[in-house]
Every structure is written in structure tokens, then in C-alpha cells.
Amino acid sequence: MSETGMIFDIKKYAINDGPGIRTTVFFQGCPLACQWCHNPESQANKPVLMYRANRCVLCGACVEVCPQHAITLDGFSSTDRSLCNTCGVCAETCYNGARELSGYQVSVDEVMSEVLRDTPFYEGSGGGVTFSGGEPLLQHRFLLELLRACREHELPTVVDTSGFAAWEVLNSLREYIELFLFDLKIMDDERHIQYTGVSNRLILSNLRQLAEAGSAITVRIPLIPGINDDEENLRASGEFIRSLPNICGVELMGYHDLAAAKYEALGLEYQLKQVSAHGKDQLLRSVKIFEHLCLQVKIS
Amino acid sequence: MADTQTQNLTERVSKLRLQSLNAVESLSSERAELLTDFYQKKLGIMSVPVLRAMSFAWLLEHKRIAIYDGELIVGEKGDSPKAAPSFPELCCHTLEDLDILNTRSLTSFKVSPATRKAYQEKVIPFWQGKSIRDLLFAEMTPEWKDAYDAGIFTEFMEQRAPGHTVLDDKIYHHGMLDFQQKINASLAKLDYLDDPEAYDKQEELKAMYITAGALIRFAERYSALALELAHQESDPTRKSELEKIAEVCTHIPAHAPRNLQEALQYYWFVHLGVTTELNTWDSYCPGRLDQHLLPFYEKGLADGTLTRDTAKELLCCFWIKFNNQPAPPKVGVTAAESGTYTDFAQINVGGLRADGSDGVNEVSYLLLDVIEEMRLLQPSSSIQVSRKNPDRFIKRAAKIIRTGFGQPSIFNADLIAQELMRAGKTLVDARCGGSSGCVEVGAFGKENYNLTGYFNLPKVLELTLHNGYDPRTGKQLGPQTGEVAKFTDFDQLFNAFEKQMLYFVDIKVRGNQVIERLYANYMPAPFLSLLTDDCISSGKDYHNGGARYNTSYIQGVGIGSIADALAAIKTHVYEQQTFKMDDLLKMLDANFEGHERARQLLLNRTPKYGNDDDAADALMVRVFESYFNAVDGRRNTKGGEYHINMLPTTCHIYFGSVTGALPDGRFAGKPLSEGVSPVQGADQHGPTAVARSVAKMDQVRTGGTLLNQKFTPQVLDSEEGLNGLVQLVRGYFNLDGHHIQFNVVDAETLKAAQTNPEQYRSLIVRVAGYSDYFCDLSKQLQDEIITRTAYDGF
């Protein structure tokens, strides 16, 4: 019996998660709680119930099957989340997919049989498998087994991480990872804590150690209007990155509010409702800051 | 949208292009009237091939000709741009047809009062009841007619002649005088003592000889007109252009071309000849234009008579000629089967050379520039991709694709060579072959390969579920293969389906065999024959087995729908026993009314084809194998065989409209899946999963498959996006996929175009094996395209 872990999705034809055509495995659970998180369903270390009202046909099947009697029908299907124990029975009965349980247990073999399917597309495109999340390092034993299995099948691997993990964990996985997509959010620690829930000290020190240890790294910065897109933060980020060896490049990821619907589906409030996406000019201004520091930068 | 791409065009080309775009499609009675004159006046005792050859010569001698201001390539099929001639000997329009064509809102053809009058007084009285179409329907059996009416299959040749073929490189080396010499040599070899067909061959060869001369004479008329116009012309530049045209039209088609302009003009006269002789399906195509033109291009650059820009201008003028020729207006069935102005001429770029080396050259890139900048529906374009071609080539095409105009489509040249070799072609003929029309393959210049009709696979399942009875027409159409409710396992059901399928394939093939002989006996095509190897050496007509290879295709439609329907039955009736068969049948007969929750279960809790899920994909393969076995290898009347391909054009809409609710949750009347694509919206795991699912079909044993993918523009915005597309194509082709095409436009835009068509007149989308103006499509087809799964935001 192979190691198991919890993921919430496997996406194929991923062309923005590292080189070539890739399959991205999304891990469930994250130690951070970034306000702009576009996968909020992945934050908890357990499955979460999502309800998308626009798919609901108000058939009432969920009301009947819920063992906790947590669901009522009142213009839409409403869940008392204090009663819900995410048993998933309602999602099973909801054929329209209005109710879905995000996060499920899988074995290494199961993940591998899925990711190996697209091998013909990795070869030639220089693609492979990307582990993302959530935070993949949070389930590092599971991740290690997956990485080893990928090595065995000669699949190139990328890990997309917040960098928030013990150095020993990172260090133990390092040799199996062709490329890190390492997120760098806010340089000021206080603000980092305010917006992500954790300090950036461990993250920054991991990034440095990883770079110095020789791992290939692309630094990814989500550009969140009004939160980390100020010149001071970007310049500080750029200078920090410039001081590191082995950085393959910097990717600025423009903000979008496509995740707002997910917050609604989770019964959570989206705190960045008022924030609107950058215009092209603003993005280019940010790019300039990094280019001035002689860093290879692109927008994605 | 179009302006950004078309701004590089020369003033001449911009003007001609705009004229072509603004010209209104009309029906021209010129050909019908001339033909009627000919048959009324000239009918004496003569062989059918010679009669047809003389009618061809008569048409080319008497049709009006014109050279329009600024043109470098000359000649129209009708009496003016976008005027479509008619073919009353094949199918004679009624006055009612003309009125419908004139007034219908989509793909209308203007019918002038004079045209209507000519039809009323001259054409209809002579041809009514005497066309091939009349004869054809009279010769079909009641079983054939019932199946045809029920929408189990369609018939391609009921109003258009077989064509579906493509020219090779022969006209670039031989003039019509050379062909006449070959004909004479063949005549000289006829063995009247031992060959009982010698006289028939003599008549066929004489007919070919007459048509070759007719084309030379046709070009001379243009030459004379150009000289006349040159005399009147005051502008010295235009004057010398007209003199050049006169010179070109004197040299070709009598002799082999010496330069690029002569090569293009020669092809164009040949194109007009083929499409005037008969209303051939897919008009006619020049094939590997980049390879054919390369020697002329290189020579022109070397001797200073050509630059890249002047070559491009000539090509643009050539492109406009194609766009001026709408598909022949249909009779009877109005827009149901295929409503489009597109006549399916396709330019092939890239692929392999005869020696197996990389066929991409400088002209390939020049043609791609022309395709991008002209942005015309016709000619359609495709790139033939071999593993030997560079990525740069695909990427150049991808940059055109992402502008959202559906062209070029992409074919797997290496697989096509394999497909053709499996079907008996030599290695060189296979390499020099390719795809035409939608996606069908053939040996260019050497094969008569016909699409004969679409075959409605899900409808056969519907009949199977009803023991051979068709709920829509209320007739027992098929054999009684058993009450499905009494079947105890899935195999019994599948065996019953196979019996039904075989029964209808037999009916279809019987019809085809008769129709082939109708064309062979009554509608020979001596001009097309002289262009197709080995008609001259065999002395036989294109329709009568004269070609080196002869293939009859029957195109399977709805493989995705039937795979999902069978997956639903297998899963929910036999495996999980969610429903009893009886209950499922009741739901289908009720079109799921009152069973929405069950329908949602069928839609969402069933393995679906297109997700790389072996449970569903295996059923697709099983249906494919059965269909293949039912059709492939049967003999046609031309010495060739039947093969299958999997393409729908727009027939999945028509077939859907006659097919009841299906067990996959599809409502009655809704479109079926198209080509080998999954059911619209059923594929949930991205394009690589679709590609892998589809590639489980052993496509090498087909004569072409069609896979549609829809991308939102954002995906292809970036370099990664473009590379992703290139590598997706490479990956699919490594898995032996035949063809893939992309619609790059988001659903929001399409919906907006539906609501405000006047603002989106120029919006072009990929339909099936061709592109079309979105606003010209039927509402059903528009809806269907909107629901094809779009990939974005990976």
C-alpha cells in the first residue's frame, strides 16, 4: 500500500506552472491564509464543502440525505456549517455539482497513474509534473514519495511553494525537484503577517538556503493592488532576489478576482472585493522595477 | 478585428478583396441556359462522353467573360464575382427553390427577375424530371428511401457530382497540348481486336481531347479580351499589365507555365474548367501549392522578374478568385444539411516531399502570410505537419489561428501517408497525397475519392433500443433484433446494434453502387479525367474507374454521442443497475420529461468519452471497430474499395434533429457530437485528455477524422500559450491523431454576436472542416459551437 495524501485537484494541460505542457497536482492544506488566495478551498487540512448556487436546481435531494439535518431549502440550499461535518453525502447526491466536497484522499499510485497518462505531451514540450496547492510541503512524506515515483518514470518535476516549511523538509526533497516556483509575497514582516497570517522570516531564509544549495528557482510574486505592489516592496523584493544565486527568473502574477465566486461557495467573505485588477501600464511599471535590477522578469 | 491583419495588403489587393467581400451571392442562369441551348440544338447520335465534352466546349466558348479593373489573375465561373452557375442536368431548381434561395435569411442567393424568367420559360421546361437527381431517386429502393427520410444516412450525389479531388503537379510540367499528345498516344494503342472496350475508350479519349482544346480556346478568349482592353487603356502601368495577361493566356494552358503568374493562371483556368464541367464536391484544389510553386518562385527571384512582395500580390489575386465562387446553391432541402457559401477548396501547405524529406519551404511561409492577411473564407487552408517539419512552421500557423479565424486547420502528414498506404497507395503517391474538403485523404492527382454520405450512428442505436422501429417516422425501418428490455447483458445489446448497423450499411452501399453507375454512364467528366492519372492511359473516365485509385467513403457521425449513450446503459442498466432498461426507455420516450433528476445522474455520474477514461473510451473504440468492419474493404464499382472516415461537416445538427433522446442525457433533437470530438461540454479534463481519448481510435484505418478544440483567446495570448498549442499538436500527432483545429473565441463574444449580429458580421469561426461567418450559421449550429467546451485559465 503506497503512501496517501490529500489533494483537491489534478489539472492537465497546465502551461503556466513551469516549462512545457504539465499536469499540476493540487495539495489540500496550507499554513498560510493569504487574503488574495485563489484556491481558498485548499487552505484547510481537511475536505471542505463548496456550494455553488448557480448550479443548484433546488431539487431538495440534499435536504433529505443530510444525516446532520444541516441543510434547509429557502430560495437556495443553505447549509448550517456549524452542524456540517463534511461527510460529503450531500455532494454525492448532488448530480448537478452545486454541492462538491473539495479535498480527497489518494494514494501515490493513484496520482501517478493519472499524471503518467499525459507523458506523450511532456516529452517534446519539456513539460512534466507540478506539485502545487495549498502547500505541497505540508504533506512532505506524500510529496517525497510522489517525487521519487516521478524520478523513477523520468518525469521532470516542479514544486510550487510558499516556502513555509522547516528547512530540513525542503532540503530532503531538493534533489528530486528540477525547478522550484517559490512565492515571494511581502518583504515587510509585519505586513506579511497581517496579510498572510505568518511571518516571512522562515520563507526568506529558506529561499536563500535553497538558492545557495544550488536548486533552480523561479521566484513568483503575486501582484496585489494596494497590498504589495508599491515600489518599495517591489524594489526590496528585487534586491533580495538579486542577492541570490541560481534564480532562473522572476514571474509577476497579475491579480484577478476570479476566485471571488469560490469564497462565496465556501461561505467565506472575500476581503479583497474592492480591489480591481491592474491595467497593462501598471504591470509594465512593476516589470521596469525588476528590469532595472537586471532581473529576468515576465508577467503571467 | 480584420483590419490589423489586412493592413499590409497592396492597394490593388485591398480593392479587389473588398469587392469580393461586398459582392452579393447570386444565382446565375447563364450556364443553365447555354447548356439548354446546346442540348436543344446539338443533340444528335453521339457517345455520352463526346456529348459531354462538346457541351463543355460550348459552355467555355459562349459564356460571358470579363477582366475586372486591377486584376492580375482572370476568369470567373459565373458571369460575375459571386454569381453561382447552376447544373440543371444534375438537379434542376424549381421556381419555388429559386424563391426560397432569393429570400431566405441565411446563405441566400439573389435571383434576378431575368434569371427567374429564364428558368420558367427555358430551363425548367427542358430539364424538369430529366436530371440525374430525378433518375437517382427513381432508382433507389423503398428501404433506401425510408432510411434516407428517417435521417439514418445522407446521400452526397443527389445534387452534386463526385469530385472530392485534388490536382497534383502535372499542369506545372505539361500544357494541354502535351495532354492531347498523350491522348493521341493512348488512342494509337487501342486494341480493337482483343479489347471489347476499345471503342468505349476511344470515345472517352476523344472526349478528353475535345476538352483540352476547349480550355485552350477559353484562355485565348481571355487573351483577346486583355489585348482589346490594353488598346483602350490610357494608364501605361495597367496597359502593360493587360498585355502581360494577354501573353500569359496565350502561352498557358496550351503550354507548360514558365513563371509564377502563368502557373497560377493555368491552375485557375483548370479550376474553372473542372467546376464548370460539373458541380464537383469540394470544387477543386491545387494541393501542395507551396511545393508546386517553389521552382517558379525561386526562378523569379533569381532572374529578377519577381520579388517576395510581387509574388505575394499575385497570390493574393489568386486567393480572391476562390473567394468569388460560392458553393452551388442547393435544391429541395433548404438549409438543413449544410448551409454555407464555402465550397471546400483547400490549400495544403507543408508536409512531406516525394522523397520523404521536409516539405516546408519559403513559399510555405509566404502562403501563411497570404492566409493571414487576406483573411478570406475561401480558399480554406491547412497545414500538413510532419515530424520532419520545424516547430517554427506550426508556430507561424498558430499565430494565425489565435487571431480567431479558424484557419489553418492542422493535419498529420506522417499519419496521412500511413493511411494512404494502408489503403493501397504506393509510398510516393502516399507522400504526395494529403487532405482535402474537410479532412478526407486521397492521392492527389491520382485518385477518385468520394464522400458518399454521412451515417448516423446514434440513430441506429435508437432503432436498436426500439427493436428496429423508428419512433419519429413511426416505421419499422430495421430488422427486429429483439426486445432490449429482455436482454440480460450489454453484449446482447451491442450485438443487436451491430446487426442493425450492418443492415443499414448494406442499404447505403447498394444505393451507392447504383449511383456510381449513373454517373459513369450518364455524366462522365472527360476534363476532370484528363487531369487525373491514369484516365488517359486507361482510356476510362474519372467516374468509371479511370483513376489509379478509387475510394468510396461513408462518414460516421456521432461517435461521441453513441459512446456516451452506451456508457450510460452499460453503467446504469447492467453494472450498477440504477435503472431497469424498461424505465430508461420510458424516460427516453418521454424526452426525460418528469425525469430531470435521472437525467442529471446520466449526465454527471457516468463515464464520458473525452476524459481519458478507459471505461467510456473503450466503448467508442468498440463502436468504431464495428463500423469499420461493416464498411471497410467492400468493393465499389470502380475497382476500388469502401473506407470510413469520421467527419460531420454540419450534419451532426441535422442528424441530431431526427434523433430522439439518448441515454447519455441528451434531449431529443439536440445536435450530436461532431467529428471525433467528445459530446459538447462532456470533456472536463482539458485538451490533452481529449487528445488521448480520441487517439484510442486507430485512426490509421480511417480516411480522416475531425477533432475540434475551442480555446479562449487569453490562453494563446502568451508565448507559453503558443508553444502549448504547438506541443499539443505534436503530442496528439505522436499518438497518431489525424487532424485538429481550433476555434479561438470566447463564449461571451459568440453570445454577443448572436444577440447583435450586425456588429459581428466579420466574425469567423471554425465549423467543421471549414470556417464560416458566425452570423451566417443557423441558430442551432451557433448554440452548438457555444457549448463546445472552451479551455481557459489552466
Side-chain angles (χ1 to χ4, degrees):
Chain A
M1 182 67 195
S2 64
E3 187 85 27
T4 65
M6 191 178 291
I7 64 172
F8 69 94
D9 203 2
I10 295 180
K11 273 222 154 74
K12 296 177 177 178
Y13 196 63
I15 52 173
N16 294 308
D17 294 336
I21 294 178
R22 314 191 71 82
T23 294
T24 301
V25 181
F26 290 90
F27 281 52
Q28 180 77 22
C30 184
L32 278 64
C34 307
Q35 287 186 7
W36 54 85
C37 179
H38 61 275
N39 287 329
E41 71 274 34
S42 72
Q43 289 181 358
N45 295 327
K46 59 183 178 74
V48 290
L49 179 71
M50 299 180 84
Y51 170 69
R52 292 184 177 85
N54 60 341
R55 296 186 191 171
C56 181
V57 293
L58 300 173
C59 66
C62 51
V63 179
E64 283 168 34
V65 298
C66 178
Q68 298 294 108
H69 306 292
I71 307 173
T72 49
L73 213 58
D74 180 22
F76 55 95
S77 162
S78 157
T79 310
D80 183 341
R81 287 183 187 262
S82 67
L83 293 176
C84 173
N85 61 3
T86 59
C87 67
V89 173
C90 62
E92 253 167 61
T93 197
C94 183
Y95 304 143
N96 297 57
R99 291 177 166 272
E100 278 179 341
L101 214 54
S102 177
Y104 53 99
Q105 207 70 28
V106 283
S107 68
V108 169
D109 292 347
E110 284 166 333
V111 174
M112 289 310 294
S113 82
E114 204 52 39
V115 301
L116 280 168
R117 286 180 171 268
D118 271 6
T119 306
F121 297 94
Y122 311 147
E123 294 168 356
S125 76
V129 185
T130 296
F131 297 102
S132 179
E135 173 50 64
L137 300 182
L138 206 56
Q139 302 180 59
H140 56 88
R141 266 192 286 271
F142 179 51
L143 178 60
L144 179 65
E145 290 310 311
L146 283 169
L147 289 167
R148 281 186 175 147
C150 287
R151 174 65 50 93
E152 196 183 318
H153 291 282
E154 306 210 4
L155 296 184
T157 55
V158 168
V159 168
D160 180 8
T161 176
S162 69
F164 192 83
W167 166 248
E168 291 70 27
V169 167
L170 263 176
N171 199 28
S172 68
L173 301 172
R174 217 168 45 78
E175 60 168 309
Y176 297 102
I177 299 169
E178 264 77 7
L179 176 70
F180 281 92
L181 302 176
F182 201 113
D183 285 11
L184 192 59
K185 285 143 186 154
I186 305 172
M187 293 303 287
D188 179 84
D189 196 29
E190 219 169 280
R191 286 170 61 77
H192 197 276
I193 295 170
Q194 183 190 343
Y195 287 107
T196 72
V198 302
S199 162
N200 66 11
R201 264 182 258 170
L202 180 59
I203 295 170
L204 295 177
S205 111
N206 278 341
L207 177 54
R208 180 169 297 281
Q209 288 199 70
L210 198 59
E212 285 170 356
S215 286
I217 303 166
T218 294
V219 178
R220 283 183 159 192
I221 302 177
L223 276 185
I224 314 302
I227 294 180
N228 71 347
D229 64 337
D230 52 293
E231 193 172 336
E232 190 188 336
N233 181 56
L234 295 182
R235 195 177 300 277
S237 307
E239 273 162 8
F240 180 73
I241 296 165
R242 198 168 61 157
S243 74
L244 305 172
N246 298 315
I247 298 299
C248 306
V250 178
E251 251 180 71
L252 299 181
M253 300 190 290
Y255 170 79
H256 60 73
D257 62 359
L258 297 176
K262 284 191 182 177
Y263 283 85
E264 206 175 303
L266 289 162
L268 300 172
E269 197 186 339
Y270 185 48
Q271 298 185 50
L272 304 190
K273 249 182 226 154
Q274 307 304 325
V275 175
S276 53
H278 283 114
K280 206 159 192 171
D281 291 352
Q282 288 164 296
L283 288 175
L284 288 177
R285 222 171 296 146
S286 306
V287 167
K288 286 257 161 60
I289 295 174
F290 288 88
E291 283 177 345
H292 278 146
L293 295 165
C294 302
L295 288 166
Q296 275 230 338
V297 61
K298 64 170 193 171
I299 302 174
S300 62
Chain B
M1 175 168 54
D3 297 345
T4 49
Q5 277 93 30
T6 53
Q7 64 195 1
N8 291 332
L9 300 174
T10 64
E11 198 184 324
R12 175 207 313 276
V13 172
S14 298
K15 219 174 113 198
L16 290 169
R17 179 178 176 275
L18 213 61
Q19 268 176 16
S20 179
L21 289 175
N22 291 338
V24 177
E25 289 77 4
S26 64
L27 188 141
S28 157
S29 61
E30 184 189 44
R31 185 185 180 283
E33 288 188 72
L34 284 173
L35 192 84
T36 310
D37 288 342
F38 171 82
Y39 273 78
Q40 276 173 341
K41 289 173 192 162
K42 300 279 176 176
L43 206 56
I45 294 179
M46 62 179 95
S47 68
V48 178
V50 169
L51 176 74
R52 290 301 298 169
M54 286 178 65
S55 71
F56 177 77
W58 176 270
L59 291 171
L60 294 192
E61 182 63 41
H62 292 96
K63 80 183 288 303
R64 265 163 288 176
I65 62 169
I67 294 174
Y68 299 102
D69 195 27
E71 282 194 320
L72 297 176
I73 305 294
V74 301
E76 294 290 337
K77 186 167 64 172
D79 51 4
S80 61
K82 297 253 183 96
S86 56
F87 297 76
E89 72 271 45
L90 296 174
C91 62
C92 187
H93 289 84
T94 62
L95 290 178
E96 193 194 353
D97 287 335
L98 296 182
D99 294 339
I100 291 172
L101 286 169
N102 190 33
T103 54
R104 72 183 179 197
S105 58
L106 296 173
T107 55
S108 64
F109 285 83
K110 285 288 152 237
V111 178
S112 70
T115 297
R116 197 177 188 282
K117 188 158 172 272
Y119 256 82
Q120 189 169 15
E121 292 175 2
K122 187 168 176 181
V123 181
I124 294 173
F126 189 83
W127 291 104
Q128 196 170 38
K130 296 180 205 139
S131 70
I132 283 283
R133 180 179 166 83
D134 299 305
L135 185 57
L136 186 151
F137 281 111
E139 291 292 351
M140 294 299 109
T141 60
E143 293 79 23
W144 187 96
K145 282 177 193 154
D146 283 346
Y148 177 81
D149 290 341
I152 294 169
F153 52 71
T154 65
E155 175 47 56
F156 263 52
M157 262 54 82
E158 44 91 18
Q159 47 184 299
R160 289 190 74 171
H164 297 104
T165 196
V166 175
L167 188 58
D168 56 8
D169 64 349
K170 60 171 69 74
I171 65 164
Y172 307 100
H173 308 295
H174 302 285
M176 285 290 144
L177 293 176
D178 301 318
F179 290 116
Q180 285 185 328
Q181 268 189 17
K182 287 184 183 195
I183 292 165
N184 281 337
S186 197
L187 276 167
K189 274 192 232 155
L190 287 177
D191 178 359
Y192 292 85
L193 297 181
D194 283 329
D195 181 358
E197 292 179 333
Y199 174 74
D200 295 340
K201 290 176 180 173
Q202 168 201 301
E203 289 302 294
E204 176 66 31
L205 287 164
K206 259 165 66 184
M208 290 185 209
Y209 192 96
I210 294 167
T211 60
L215 196 76
I216 296 173
R217 173 75 196 115
F218 184 53
E220 283 168 358
R221 292 182 64 208
Y222 273 97
S223 180
L225 177 62
L227 269 189
E228 194 186 316
L229 291 173
H231 284 309
Q232 299 160 11
E233 181 63 55
S234 52
D235 173 32
T237 314
R238 182 58 186 160
K239 194 183 183 75
S240 78
E241 283 172 7
L242 286 164
E243 283 164 356
K244 181 76 198 284
I245 291 169
E247 186 200 325
V248 166
C249 296
T250 313
H251 186 79
I252 57 92
H255 308 280
R258 296 164 299 185
N259 54 48
L260 186 67
Q261 185 168 349
E262 288 182 353
L264 292 171
Q265 184 65 63
Y266 188 1
Y267 174 77
W268 189 246
F269 280 138
V270 163
H271 186 97
L272 293 179
V274 170
T275 55
T276 298
E277 182 174 48
L278 286 173
N279 61 2
T280 45
W281 264 106
D282 300 343
S283 64
Y284 198 48
C285 314
R288 304 293 186 77
L289 204 53
D290 47 355
Q291 291 181 39
H292 300 332
L293 297 182
L294 183 67
F296 301 104
Y297 179 69
E298 283 178 335
K299 184 168 163 271
L301 290 185
D303 64 20
T305 53
L306 212 58
T307 65
R308 193 177 196 276
D309 284 345
T310 54
K312 197 166 113 186
E313 187 172 51
L314 279 169
L315 285 164
C316 289
C317 290
F318 184 65
W319 243 246
I320 287 161
K321 284 292 159 188
F322 282 93
N323 202 58
N324 282 349
Q325 322 300 327
K330 292 201 160 187
V331 304
V333 186
T334 49
E337 275 184 38
S338 177
T340 178
Y341 291 129
T342 302
D343 206 14
F344 301 100
Q346 191 191 106
I347 306 283
N348 305 84
V349 186
L352 296 167
R353 300 188 334 165
D355 63 4
S357 60
D358 176 9
V360 172
N361 61 44
E362 265 319 293
V363 180
S364 315
Y365 292 103
L366 183 60
L367 291 178
L368 289 172
D369 285 354
V370 171
I371 290 161
E372 178 166 47
E373 290 172 26
M374 292 301 279
R375 217 178 163 78
L376 292 173
L377 281 191
Q378 301 194 86
S380 187
S381 57
S382 67
I383 58 166
Q384 314 278 312
V385 172
S386 160
R387 60 183 186 280
K388 292 176 183 171
N389 301 145
D391 277 355
R392 175 193 163 209
F393 174 59
I394 315 178
K395 205 162 159 182
R396 176 68 190 92
K399 283 181 183 165
I400 306 175
I401 289 166
R402 80 167 163 191
T403 65
F405 127 89
Q407 288 188 34
S409 57
I410 309 177
F411 289 87
N412 184 348
D414 302 315
L415 184 76
I416 287 177
Q418 277 190 67
E419 290 167 11
L420 289 171
M421 286 181 70
R422 188 200 76 87
K425 279 81 173 175
T426 67
L427 178 62
V428 169
D429 287 352
R431 281 173 178 161
C432 296
S435 58
S436 64
C438 280
V439 298
E440 54 275 23
V441 301
F444 291 173
K446 295 161 188 72
E447 182 165 16
N448 172 338
Y449 55 109
N450 283 189
L451 300 184
T452 67
Y454 299 109
F455 191 85
N456 190 343
L457 296 165
K459 181 78 193 176
V460 175
L461 178 64
E462 186 190 15
L463 292 177
T464 311
L465 292 175
H466 294 87
N467 201 4
Y469 175 82
D470 178 26
R472 191 180 70 92
T473 56
K475 287 183 180 170
Q476 179 73 31
L477 296 179
Q480 296 198 342
T481 43
E483 301 265 342
V484 286
K486 292 184 183 148
F487 292 169
T488 50
D489 61 28
F490 182 76
D491 285 348
Q492 272 181 297
L493 174 74
F494 198 86
N495 292 341
F497 164 74
E498 281 187 317
K499 273 185 207 143
Q500 295 282 352
M501 180 163 63
L502 204 57
Y503 174 78
F504 289 109
V505 170
D506 280 347
I507 292 176
K508 171 69 181 153
V509 170
R510 186 200 180 281
N512 281 358
Q513 304 290 80
V514 172
I515 293 166
E516 283 181 7
R517 296 319 297 161
L518 296 185
Y519 277 93
N521 288 325
Y522 308 120
M523 280 297 144
F527 184 65
L528 178 58
S529 300
L530 83 88
L531 298 163
T532 310
D533 298 334
D534 302 312
C535 294
I536 294 179
S537 55
S538 69
K540 287 193 162 189
D541 192 82
Y542 181 83
H543 295 321
N544 194 27
R548 185 175 302 170
Y549 309 107
N550 293 277
T551 299
S552 303
Y553 287 123
I554 305 177
Q555 310 96 253
V557 172
I559 187 100
S561 290
I562 191 172
D564 287 0
L566 288 171
I569 294 173
K570 190 162 187 273
T571 307
H572 292 297
V573 175
Y574 295 111
E575 287 171 6
Q576 298 178 7
Q577 294 166 7
T578 328
F579 309 112
K580 288 208 166 65
M581 185 61 101
D582 256 347
D583 296 330
L584 180 63
L585 290 178
K586 277 179 202 144
M587 284 191 253
L588 297 180
D589 291 340
N591 196 19
F592 294 112
E593 224 178 290
H595 304 283
E596 180 56 19
R597 192 167 154 71
R599 194 180 81 90
Q600 290 297 336
L601 175 112
L602 292 166
L603 281 173
N604 298 304
R605 292 290 188 275
T606 309
K608 299 279 179 182
Y609 166 64
N611 295 290
D612 197 7
D613 177 340
D614 295 331
D617 297 347
L619 292 167
M620 177 281 288
V621 171
R622 196 165 169 186
V623 173
F624 170 77
E625 293 296 341
S626 296
Y627 183 57
F628 175 85
N629 289 328
V631 175
D632 189 80
R634 288 176 186 244
R635 295 187 52 194
N636 63 25
T637 69
K638 293 171 284 196
E641 286 185 351
Y642 279 84
H643 299 301
I644 62 169
N645 42 31
M646 308 299 281
L647 73 98
T649 315
T650 57
C651 203
H652 59 297
I653 305 278
Y654 164 64
F655 276 173
S657 74
V658 297
T659 305
L662 289 174
D664 68 336
R666 172 193 155 282
F667 284 122
K670 293 286 172 195
L672 303 175
S673 63
E674 42 77 27
V676 291
S677 311
V679 167
Q680 297 78 354
D683 48 322
Q684 304 280 330
H685 291 93
T688 54
V690 171
R692 275 188 46 92
S693 280
V694 176
K696 290 172 195 173
M697 176 187 291
D698 187 14
Q699 298 182 32
V700 73
R701 285 184 281 134
T702 72
T705 65
L706 184 144
L707 176 61
N708 254 310
Q709 298 269 273
K710 194 163 84 176
F711 279 71
T712 59
Q714 294 80 5
V715 189
L716 299 175
D717 257 358
S718 61
E719 198 65 11
E720 286 88 354
L722 275 182
N723 288 332
L725 186 89
V726 171
Q727 295 305 332
L728 177 65
V729 170
R730 289 282 197 204
Y732 181 52
F733 286 0
N734 279 338
L735 294 169
D736 282 349
H738 173 85
H739 154 278
I740 188 167
Q741 66 191 16
F742 299 91
N743 254 323
V744 182
V745 60
D746 53 33
E748 293 312 309
T749 308
L750 295 177
K751 282 180 197 154
Q754 237 180 358
T755 331
N756 302 305
E758 64 287 352
Q759 292 168 27
Y760 293 88
R761 283 278 168 229
S762 65
L763 180 64
I764 296 173
V765 291
R766 194 79 187 166
V767 179
Y770 67 102
S771 298
D772 214 335
Y773 289 110
F774 185 73
C775 298
D776 278 350
L777 305 176
S778 69
K779 171 81 168 40
Q780 289 158 303
L781 191 51
Q782 289 181 346
D783 287 342
E784 193 269 325
I785 289 173
I786 291 171
T787 55
R788 289 177 192 168
T789 308
Y791 298 117
D792 59 6
F794 282 89

